[in-house]
Structure formats: C-alpha cells, structure tokens
Amino acid sequence: MSQQLWTYPSSGPKSGSSYPGRRFAQIVKLKPEFVAEYKACHTAVWPEVLQQIKDCNIQDYSISHDPDTGILFASFKYVGKDYDGDMKKMRANPKVREWWRMTDGYQESLVPGATSSEAGEPGWWKPMEEVFYHL
C-alpha cells in the first residue's frame, strides 16, 4: 500500500486548508486456485490488521474481485498527514507482515519487479490512475 496516487502531497494538508483525504486505487491478480481461501480469510480479517489499518489513517477500504479476469481492485481513503510515516508503521507491524505473506501467496503481482508486499518498492499492488471522481 505504498503508492501515492492522487494530488495531495504526502505531508498532508497545509495548515488552515480543508483536507478531504487522498483516494487510492490498486489492482493485483488473484490466482484462480485460491479464490475460496482469499475470500474466506477476508471474512475474518485479523483484528491486529484491522486496527493497524485504522491507526495508519486508512478509511473506506474495500477490495472487489472480478471472477472473469481474476483481478482484485482495492480502494481506500487516506486521511492522515504523513502517508510515508504511516506506511512505515504498517510495515513494522509483525501481524500485518504475516497477513501480507499469507495473502501474497494467493496473488500474482502485475508490477514488474515486485517481490512481495513486505519488500516495499516496487509495490505489490499496481497503482491505478483516477480519471473521474464525483462527490
């Protein structure tokens, strides 16, 4: 989850300005033999992982699956002021790293050179460019 995709700087809002957060969208491919396992683990995400997501200022996190292509589409909103720092906190959590090792095994990255979610750059999930948003 280390890609910065939209227009807000990684340092967050300037003082006195309204800051709605930054939206992120990413894709990865789910291996067809692991669809059931992937869905099952996401019906009971580990509490430590959910808490770390919250503590790292991530909200409205969702993952969708296209069974025809195997693509997983993730989207979330970052509402903090230090994205890079929050992602360092995320990577430092042993339970999050354990979760990533498990779920990476179910996936195939679409990013050339990516080796795992833990490895950092290049990111495991491929960032998507926002081309339209309407509130």
Side-chain angles (χ1 to χ4, degrees), residues 31 33-34 99-108 124:
K31 295 174 183 175
E33 64 271 26
F34 292 113
W99 177 266
W100 286 345
R101 283 190 297 275
M102 177 182 66
T103 58
D104 283 4
Y106 303 148
Q107 303 163 349
E108 176 184 333
W124 185 251

Side-chain angles (χ1 to χ4, degrees), residues 25-29 71-74 108-111 124-128:
Q26 305 166 317
I27 59 171
V28 73
K29 189 167 185 177
I71 296 295
L72 293 171
F73 172 82
E108 176 184 333
S109 180
L110 301 170
V111 178
W124 185 251
W125 285 68
K126 182 178 182 179
M128 302 299 296

Side-chain angles (χ1 to χ4, degrees), residues 40-56 58 61 90 93-99 102:
C41 75
H42 281 85
T43 63
V45 177
W46 302 342
E48 301 91 344
V49 172
L50 294 174
Q51 186 62 51
Q52 190 65 61
I53 289 169
K54 181 179 179 181
D55 291 348
C56 288
I58 293 173
Y61 194 166
M90 182 82 70
N93 184 314
K95 288 303 273 187
V96 169
R97 289 195 316 271
E98 183 181 349
W99 177 266
M102 177 182 66

